[in-house]
Amino acid sequence: MGILIMSDSHGLVREVSQVVNRHHVEKILHCGDFCVDHKREPFSNMTLVRGNCDTTQEVPTEQETEWRDLHILQTHGHLFEVKGSLLRLHYRAEEVGANVVVFGHSHVPVCGVERDILFLNPGSLQMPRGFHVPTYALLEETGTTPTEVYISVAFYDHLGNPVSQLGGNYSVRRPMRSS
């Protein structure tokens, strides 16, 4: 079991529910621009961050999640100007000790490791850009060593079909634990 990651659903409820019901996971992270009442199902059971199109101040713009051997930084991305560069987001990940960053905003699915940190944008369920279908992602931890964590990331289209051109297997550094 892993983590379901989605973003930029922009008011979709039925489609988001279908995605959630399709996968048995331990956590669900939504990277913002959900654009509905955050207390409504299925959003009430997710870890949410507020995007630039979300209006509720009750949802934070950033969350940190510890899951297995991963320290995950979750944000929408607009405050880090991710459409231009991931540099500011990378600095923030280093600042909080994250080894995985999940974000949205660009509506473009992205997955890759930069300086031992995995950056993952699941794309958009509502208005995909840079890819021809709406997408979301599943992340699983597949193994560890004393210094590394191995991760598998799979992307799916809105109907649940695997998108083989995206995702793969990655390794990141283990997060620093304070003693």
Side-chain angles (χ1 to χ4, degrees), residues 34-108:
F34 44 90
C35 304
V36 297
D37 181 357
H38 68 286
K39 296 176 183 171
R40 178 181 185 171
E41 288 284 337
F43 301 94
S44 60
N45 295 317
M46 298 180 185
T47 302
L48 302 169
V49 291
R50 184 173 70 244
N52 59 299
C53 295
D54 296 315
T55 57
T56 179
Q57 297 298 307
E58 292 178 50
V59 175
T61 58
E62 185 177 291
Q63 298 256 26
E64 292 179 54
T65 300
E66 298 287 336
W67 181 73
R68 298 188 184 181
D69 295 296
L70 301 177
H71 182 136
I72 302 167
L73 172 64
Q74 175 187 357
T75 190
H76 183 59
H78 63 296
L79 299 176
F80 296 95
E81 301 173 359
V82 298
K83 288 183 180 178
S85 164
L86 296 182
L87 185 61
R88 289 182 60 203
L89 192 54
H90 196 284
Y91 288 150
R92 181 63 180 150
E94 288 179 337
E95 186 176 64
V96 301
N99 57 0
V100 173
V101 178
V102 295
F103 64 101
H105 188 55
S106 69
H107 296 215
V108 178

Side-chain angles (χ1 to χ4, degrees), residues 153-169:
V153 177
F155 281 80
Y156 296 86
D157 70 16
H158 61 297
L159 300 174
N161 301 309
V163 179
S164 59
Q165 306 94 302
L166 301 171
N169 297 307

Side-chain angles (χ1 to χ4, degrees), residues 19-36:
V19 168
V20 168
N21 292 332
R22 189 177 293 138
H23 301 281
H24 184 62
V25 294
E26 292 179 45
K27 291 190 175 294
I28 304 170
L29 308 181
H30 194 296
C31 297
D33 281 358
F34 44 90
C35 304
V36 297

